[in-house]
PDB file of all heavy atoms in Angstrom:
ATOM      1  N   THR A 126      18.718 -11.011   8.490  1.00 96.00           N
ATOM      2  CA  THR A 126      17.744 -10.356   7.623  1.00 96.00           C
ATOM      3  C   THR A 126      18.325  -9.026   7.177  1.00 96.00           C
ATOM      4  O   THR A 126      19.275  -8.525   7.789  1.00 96.00           O
ATOM      5  CB  THR A 126      16.394 -10.157   8.345  1.00 96.00           C
ATOM      6  OG1 THR A 126      15.413  -9.730   7.399  1.00 96.00           O
ATOM      7  CG2 THR A 126      16.494  -9.129   9.464  1.00 96.00           C
ATOM      8  N   GLY A 127      17.769  -8.465   6.127  1.00 95.00           N
ATOM      9  CA  GLY A 127      18.209  -7.152   5.677  1.00 95.00           C
ATOM     10  C   GLY A 127      18.023  -6.135   6.795  1.00 95.00           C
ATOM     11  O   GLY A 127      16.996  -6.141   7.476  1.00 95.00           O
ATOM     12  N   LEU A 128      18.994  -5.265   6.990  1.00 95.00           N
ATOM     13  CA  LEU A 128      18.942  -4.313   8.105  1.00 95.00           C
ATOM     14  C   LEU A 128      17.728  -3.396   8.030  1.00 95.00           C
ATOM     15  O   LEU A 128      17.123  -3.069   9.050  1.00 95.00           O
ATOM     16  CB  LEU A 128      20.231  -3.491   8.150  1.00 95.00           C
ATOM     17  CG  LEU A 128      21.504  -4.302   8.411  1.00 95.00           C
ATOM     18  CD1 LEU A 128      22.734  -3.418   8.324  1.00 95.00           C
ATOM     19  CD2 LEU A 128      21.430  -4.990   9.756  1.00 95.00           C
ATOM     20  N   SER A 129      17.345  -2.995   6.818  1.00 97.00           N
ATOM     21  CA  SER A 129      16.177  -2.115   6.689  1.00 97.00           C
ATOM     22  C   SER A 129      14.898  -2.814   7.113  1.00 97.00           C
ATOM     23  O   SER A 129      13.908  -2.160   7.472  1.00 97.00           O
ATOM     24  CB  SER A 129      16.041  -1.611   5.253  1.00 97.00           C
ATOM     25  OG  SER A 129      15.673  -2.669   4.383  1.00 97.00           O
ATOM     26  N   LYS A 130      14.911  -4.148   7.108  1.00 98.00           N
ATOM     27  CA  LYS A 130      13.710  -4.897   7.483  1.00 98.00           C
ATOM     28  C   LYS A 130      13.404  -4.761   8.976  1.00 98.00           C
ATOM     29  O   LYS A 130      12.244  -4.793   9.376  1.00 98.00           O
ATOM     30  CB  LYS A 130      13.840  -6.382   7.104  1.00 98.00           C
ATOM     31  CG  LYS A 130      14.151  -6.613   5.631  1.00 98.00           C
ATOM     32  CD  LYS A 130      13.199  -5.878   4.701  1.00 98.00           C
ATOM     33  CE  LYS A 130      13.570  -6.121   3.254  1.00 98.00           C
ATOM     34  NZ  LYS A 130      12.845  -5.261   2.335  1.00 98.00           N
ATOM     35  N   ILE A 131      14.440  -4.574   9.779  1.00 98.00           N
ATOM     36  CA  ILE A 131      14.221  -4.346  11.209  1.00 98.00           C
ATOM     37  C   ILE A 131      13.461  -3.029  11.388  1.00 98.00           C
ATOM     38  O   ILE A 131      12.491  -2.951  12.150  1.00 98.00           O
ATOM     39  CB  ILE A 131      15.561  -4.313  11.978  1.00 98.00           C
ATOM     40  CG1 ILE A 131      16.327  -5.640  11.826  1.00 98.00           C
ATOM     41  CG2 ILE A 131      15.335  -3.949  13.442  1.00 98.00           C
ATOM     42  CD1 ILE A 131      15.692  -6.833  12.469  1.00 98.00           C
ATOM     43  N   ALA A 132      13.877  -1.993  10.666  1.00 98.00           N
ATOM     44  CA  ALA A 132      13.179  -0.704  10.744  1.00 98.00           C
ATOM     45  C   ALA A 132      11.749  -0.827  10.218  1.00 98.00           C
ATOM     46  O   ALA A 132      10.830  -0.197  10.750  1.00 98.00           O
ATOM     47  CB  ALA A 132      13.942   0.357   9.957  1.00 98.00           C
ATOM     48  N   ARG A 133      11.534  -1.649   9.207  1.00 98.00           N
ATOM     49  CA  ARG A 133      10.179  -1.846   8.682  1.00 98.00           C
ATOM     50  C   ARG A 133       9.276  -2.540   9.705  1.00 98.00           C
ATOM     51  O   ARG A 133       8.092  -2.228   9.806  1.00 98.00           O
ATOM     52  CB  ARG A 133      10.217  -2.635   7.384  1.00 98.00           C
ATOM     53  CG  ARG A 133      10.766  -1.837   6.219  1.00 98.00           C
ATOM     54  CD  ARG A 133      10.550  -2.561   4.900  1.00 98.00           C
ATOM     55  NE  ARG A 133      11.300  -1.948   3.836  1.00 98.00           N
ATOM     56  CZ  ARG A 133      10.932  -0.840   3.187  1.00 98.00           C
ATOM     57  NH1 ARG A 133       9.820  -0.239   3.518  1.00 98.00           N
ATOM     58  NH2 ARG A 133      11.678  -0.352   2.223  1.00 98.00           N
ATOM     59  N   VAL A 134       9.837  -3.470  10.448  1.00 98.00           N
ATOM     60  CA  VAL A 134       9.057  -4.130  11.508  1.00 98.00           C
ATOM     61  C   VAL A 134       8.612  -3.086  12.535  1.00 98.00           C
ATOM     62  O   VAL A 134       7.452  -3.076  12.966  1.00 98.00           O
ATOM     63  CB  VAL A 134       9.871  -5.263  12.169  1.00 98.00           C
ATOM     64  CG1 VAL A 134       9.216  -5.742  13.457  1.00 98.00           C
ATOM     65  CG2 VAL A 134      10.046  -6.418  11.195  1.00 98.00           C
ATOM     66  N   VAL A 135       9.517  -2.194  12.908  1.00 98.00           N
ATOM     67  CA  VAL A 135       9.166  -1.106  13.832  1.00 98.00           C
ATOM     68  C   VAL A 135       8.035  -0.273  13.245  1.00 98.00           C
ATOM     69  O   VAL A 135       7.052   0.041  13.934  1.00 98.00           O
ATOM     70  CB  VAL A 135      10.394  -0.236  14.156  1.00 98.00           C
ATOM     71  CG1 VAL A 135       9.986   1.020  14.925  1.00 98.00           C
ATOM     72  CG2 VAL A 135      11.446  -1.038  14.925  1.00 98.00           C
ATOM     73  N   ASP A 136       8.140   0.081  11.965  1.00 98.00           N
ATOM     74  CA  ASP A 136       7.099   0.889  11.307  1.00 98.00           C
ATOM     75  C   ASP A 136       5.744   0.186  11.336  1.00 98.00           C
ATOM     76  O   ASP A 136       4.718   0.811  11.588  1.00 98.00           O
ATOM     77  CB  ASP A 136       7.475   1.193   9.860  1.00 98.00           C
ATOM     78  CG  ASP A 136       8.462   2.336   9.738  1.00 98.00           C
ATOM     79  OD1 ASP A 136       8.686   3.050  10.735  1.00 98.00           O
ATOM     80  OD2 ASP A 136       9.004   2.516   8.630  1.00 98.00           O
ATOM     81  N   ILE A 137       5.739  -1.095  11.063  1.00 98.00           N
ATOM     82  CA  ILE A 137       4.474  -1.833  11.016  1.00 98.00           C
ATOM     83  C   ILE A 137       3.771  -1.808  12.366  1.00 98.00           C
ATOM     84  O   ILE A 137       2.580  -1.498  12.461  1.00 98.00           O
ATOM     85  CB  ILE A 137       4.708  -3.276  10.527  1.00 98.00           C
ATOM     86  CG1 ILE A 137       5.048  -3.262   9.030  1.00 98.00           C
ATOM     87  CG2 ILE A 137       3.485  -4.153  10.806  1.00 98.00           C
ATOM     88  CD1 ILE A 137       5.558  -4.588   8.487  1.00 98.00           C
ATOM     89  N   TYR A 138       4.501  -2.102  13.431  1.00 98.00           N
ATOM     90  CA  TYR A 138       3.860  -2.134  14.746  1.00 98.00           C
ATOM     91  C   TYR A 138       3.568  -0.733  15.289  1.00 98.00           C
ATOM     92  O   TYR A 138       2.604  -0.550  16.045  1.00 98.00           O
ATOM     93  CB  TYR A 138       4.686  -2.950  15.736  1.00 98.00           C
ATOM     94  CG  TYR A 138       4.620  -4.426  15.424  1.00 98.00           C
ATOM     95  CD1 TYR A 138       5.741  -5.137  15.028  1.00 98.00           C
ATOM     96  CD2 TYR A 138       3.409  -5.110  15.488  1.00 98.00           C
ATOM     97  CE1 TYR A 138       5.668  -6.493  14.717  1.00 98.00           C
ATOM     98  CE2 TYR A 138       3.324  -6.462  15.177  1.00 98.00           C
ATOM     99  CZ  TYR A 138       4.460  -7.141  14.786  1.00 98.00           C
ATOM    100  OH  TYR A 138       4.377  -8.476  14.474  1.00 98.00           O
ATOM    101  N   SER A 139       4.358   0.255  14.896  1.00 98.00           N
ATOM    102  CA  SER A 139       4.088   1.616  15.379  1.00 98.00           C
ATOM    103  C   SER A 139       2.924   2.261  14.623  1.00 98.00           C
ATOM    104  O   SER A 139       2.304   3.188  15.125  1.00 98.00           O
ATOM    105  CB  SER A 139       5.334   2.497  15.286  1.00 98.00           C
ATOM    106  OG  SER A 139       5.729   2.706  13.949  1.00 98.00           O
ATOM    107  N   HIS A 140       2.618   1.768  13.418  1.00 98.00           N
ATOM    108  CA  HIS A 140       1.498   2.306  12.644  1.00 98.00           C
ATOM    109  C   HIS A 140       0.207   1.539  12.953  1.00 98.00           C
ATOM    110  O   HIS A 140      -0.502   1.072  12.058  1.00 98.00           O
ATOM    111  CB  HIS A 140       1.816   2.279  11.147  1.00 98.00           C
ATOM    112  CG  HIS A 140       2.716   3.412  10.745  1.00 98.00           C
ATOM    113  ND1 HIS A 140       4.082   3.334  10.854  1.00 98.00           N
ATOM    114  CD2 HIS A 140       2.432   4.646  10.274  1.00 98.00           C
ATOM    115  CE1 HIS A 140       4.607   4.477  10.442  1.00 98.00           C
ATOM    116  NE2 HIS A 140       3.629   5.294  10.095  1.00 98.00           N
ATOM    117  N   ARG A 141      -0.068   1.422  14.241  1.00 98.00           N
ATOM    118  CA  ARG A 141      -1.298   0.841  14.772  1.00 98.00           C
ATOM    119  C   ARG A 141      -1.616   1.619  16.036  1.00 98.00           C
ATOM    120  O   ARG A 141      -0.741   2.291  16.588  1.00 98.00           O
ATOM    121  CB  ARG A 141      -1.103  -0.639  15.138  1.00 98.00           C
ATOM    122  CG  ARG A 141      -0.727  -1.505  13.957  1.00 98.00           C
ATOM    123  CD  ARG A 141      -0.444  -2.937  14.359  1.00 98.00           C
ATOM    124  NE  ARG A 141      -0.076  -3.720  13.179  1.00 98.00           N
ATOM    125  CZ  ARG A 141       0.125  -5.014  13.186  1.00 98.00           C
ATOM    126  NH1 ARG A 141      -0.016  -5.699  14.313  1.00 98.00           N
ATOM    127  NH2 ARG A 141       0.451  -5.648  12.079  1.00 98.00           N
ATOM    128  N   LEU A 142      -2.831   1.549  16.511  1.00 98.00           N
ATOM    129  CA  LEU A 142      -3.113   2.128  17.821  1.00 98.00           C
ATOM    130  C   LEU A 142      -2.340   1.281  18.827  1.00 98.00           C
ATOM    131  O   LEU A 142      -2.418   0.050  18.803  1.00 98.00           O
ATOM    132  CB  LEU A 142      -4.611   2.111  18.121  1.00 98.00           C
ATOM    133  CG  LEU A 142      -5.483   2.930  17.163  1.00 98.00           C
ATOM    134  CD1 LEU A 142      -6.939   2.874  17.603  1.00 98.00           C
ATOM    135  CD2 LEU A 142      -5.018   4.368  17.053  1.00 98.00           C
ATOM    136  N   GLN A 143      -1.561   1.931  19.687  1.00 98.00           N
ATOM    137  CA  GLN A 143      -0.602   1.196  20.492  1.00 98.00           C
ATOM    138  C   GLN A 143      -0.520   1.687  21.921  1.00 98.00           C
ATOM    139  O   GLN A 143      -0.963   2.785  22.246  1.00 98.00           O
ATOM    140  CB  GLN A 143       0.799   1.328  19.876  1.00 98.00           C
ATOM    141  CG  GLN A 143       1.116   0.383  18.764  1.00 98.00           C
ATOM    142  CD  GLN A 143       1.243  -1.065  19.219  1.00 98.00           C
ATOM    143  OE1 GLN A 143       0.917  -1.443  20.346  1.00 98.00           O
ATOM    144  NE2 GLN A 143       1.702  -1.911  18.323  1.00 98.00           N
ATOM    145  N   VAL A 144       0.118   0.857  22.733  1.00 98.00           N
ATOM    146  CA  VAL A 144       0.744   1.269  23.975  1.00 98.00           C
ATOM    147  C   VAL A 144       2.210   0.873  23.827  1.00 98.00           C
ATOM    148  O   VAL A 144       2.534  -0.113  23.151  1.00 98.00           O
ATOM    149  CB  VAL A 144       0.098   0.624  25.229  1.00 98.00           C
ATOM    150  CG1 VAL A 144      -1.336   1.106  25.411  1.00 98.00           C
ATOM    151  CG2 VAL A 144       0.170  -0.884  25.191  1.00 98.00           C
ATOM    152  N   GLN A 145       3.086   1.646  24.411  1.00 98.00           N
ATOM    153  CA  GLN A 145       4.519   1.434  24.212  1.00 98.00           C
ATOM    154  C   GLN A 145       4.957   0.044  24.672  1.00 98.00           C
ATOM    155  O   GLN A 145       5.785  -0.600  24.013  1.00 98.00           O
ATOM    156  CB  GLN A 145       5.302   2.518  24.950  1.00 98.00           C
ATOM    157  CG  GLN A 145       6.803   2.422  24.771  1.00 98.00           C
ATOM    158  CD  GLN A 145       7.533   3.583  25.399  1.00 98.00           C
ATOM    159  OE1 GLN A 145       6.980   4.676  25.558  1.00 98.00           O
ATOM    160  NE2 GLN A 145       8.777   3.373  25.768  1.00 98.00           N
TER     161      GLN A 145
END
Side-chain angles (χ1 to χ4, degrees):
T126 190
L128 297 175
S129 69
K130 304 309 179 190
I131 300 293
R133 288 191 192 281
V134 167
V135 171
D136 280 348
I137 289 169
Y138 289 115
S139 65
H140 281 85
R141 299 176 180 186
L142 298 182
Q143 277 291 10
V144 294
Q145 182 174 334

